[in-house]
Amino acid sequence: MQEMSIRTTAQIYNFSELQKKKHERELREKRPFFITGIIVFISLLTICCFLYFSNSIVRAKEPSFDIQYKVVEVQEGDSLWSIARKNMEEKSNDYGFTDIYQYIHEIKKCNNMKSNQINTGCYLMVPYYN
């Protein structure tokens, strides 16, 4: 009697080897999509960063002028409002402040003032543009 060796189908076709080849082929087919996806993701990330940080760039809207300061003595009956109004009306301030509230705030900031109270005989630094 002749001995027949019985081999399973898995042994004949070597399925594990076929599966490895199939898996490698699938990876090769997916690789271009994966690389394209990474490139698209990095591009979008770069665009988002550019748009986010581009707003922080400061651009001058009009020519800037040097800010100067002059010292003003507070007279009887003066207030920050009257001092600001008087100095805003001067010709030297044509290119400077346009809003009196802004100007009063700037005077207070220059003189480290926390309130609007001023005393007669005191001196204030008043900003103006040259």
Side-chain angles (χ1 to χ4, degrees):
M1 233 184 187
Q2 190 178 23
E3 252 184 70
M4 285 175 82
S5 70
I6 301 175
R7 296 189 328 176
T8 62
T9 311
Q11 289 173 338
I12 294 171
Y13 292 109
N14 198 359
F15 281 134
S16 62
E17 196 63 37
L18 289 174
Q19 287 174 340
K20 285 180 187 177
K21 288 181 181 180
K22 181 180 176 186
H23 182 68
E24 288 173 1
R25 187 180 66 233
E26 287 173 352
L27 287 177
R28 269 185 268 126
E29 290 173 358
K30 291 178 183 177
R31 188 173 296 145
F33 297 112
F34 179 73
I35 293 172
T36 305
I38 288 175
I39 292 172
V40 168
F41 175 75
I42 291 173
S43 300
L44 288 174
L45 186 64
T46 304
I47 291 170
C48 288
C49 288
F50 176 78
L51 292 176
Y52 178 76
F53 290 112
S54 67
N55 291 338
S56 63
I57 297 173
V58 178
R59 293 182 179 94
K61 294 182 181 177
E62 55 188 49
S64 63
F65 298 92
D66 292 333
I67 191 164
Q68 303 286 323
Y69 298 94
K70 63 181 174 181
V71 178
V72 175
E73 183 178 0
V74 178
Q75 302 295 323
E76 183 73 33
D78 278 347
S79 66
L80 281 177
W81 181 275
S82 64
I83 291 172
R85 188 182 58 207
K86 186 181 349 174
N87 287 288
M88 279 185 69
E89 291 173 355
E90 290 181 1
K91 178 88 173 128
S92 62
N93 204 30
D94 283 346
Y95 301 107
F97 299 96
T98 55
D99 182 22
I100 194 160
Y101 297 107
Q102 229 179 9
Y103 193 54
I104 290 171
H105 178 72
E106 190 67 24
I107 292 172
K108 287 172 61 175
K109 191 167 96 174
C110 292
N111 293 284
N112 294 324
M113 298 172 63
K114 302 229 185 289
S115 70
N116 290 340
Q117 183 180 356
I118 55 175
N119 299 321
T120 303
C122 292
Y123 293 92
L124 292 176
M125 285 184 6
V126 179
Y128 68 95
Y129 286 95
N130 193 11

